Amino acid sequence: MKIAVPVFENKICEHFGKTALFLIFELDENCEVVNISRVQNTPCDGNGGGSPAEKLLLENPDVIIYNTMGEKRIETLKDRVKLYHTKTQDIKSALKECIDDILKTNNK
């Protein structure tokens, strides 16, 4: 499983479209992180420029963790990848929340 996180200054970027970097966490069958890769991004410029969703989707993430994402972007992504909203900007905490939620859902 791959979990993507938009990052700015070692925290989750407050707005998905403004991130210049995504971290992709690859998990094994026990939901342990086995690899972390970096994907550079062209942030949105406020005028429709930039390509955060398109570039990220080339990495085939299963989940995207985010703080804030525009409605248009949510509509674009929601049928292609699981979106996990978090209020924290701490990457480690958000990743743990997301994994715990996945495990809880899978064990129902």
Side-chain angles (χ1 to χ4, degrees):
M1 173 183 299
K2 291 182 179 180
I3 300 177
V5 182
V7 178
F8 179 73
E9 294 183 352
N10 297 316
K11 297 184 294 188
I12 295 177
C13 187
E14 287 186 41
H15 193 285
F16 175 82
K18 296 188 183 207
T19 191
L21 174 71
F22 289 102
L23 292 180
I24 310 287
F25 295 87
E26 285 187 60
L27 309 180
D28 65 13
E29 61 278 350
N30 298 314
C31 287
E32 298 291 328
V33 176
V34 293
N35 188 44
I36 302 170
S37 56
R38 300 164 54 98
V39 176
Q40 293 301 126
N41 180 54
T42 303
C44 291
D45 60 11
N47 297 312
S51 58
E54 295 77 14
K55 189 157 190 173
L56 180 59
L57 288 174
L58 294 175
E59 299 297 319
N60 296 312
D62 299 290
V63 180
I64 297 172
I65 296 175
Y66 71 98
N67 279 151
T68 306
M69 186 183 296
E71 285 299 317
K72 185 176 176 184
R73 190 60 62 208
I74 289 172
E75 286 300 314
T76 301
L77 293 171
K78 72 179 186 179
D79 294 328
R80 299 169 81 180
V81 63
K82 178 177 173 40
L83 299 175
Y84 186 85
H85 179 256
T86 185
K87 293 182 181 179
T88 184
Q89 283 190 281
D90 182 74
I91 296 169
K92 218 178 215 183
S93 296
L95 192 60
K96 182 179 178 343
E97 283 175 15
C98 181
I99 291 170
D100 288 349
D101 187 60
I102 290 166
L103 290 173
K104 184 170 41 173
T105 301
N106 289 345
N107 288 328
K108 284 186 178 179

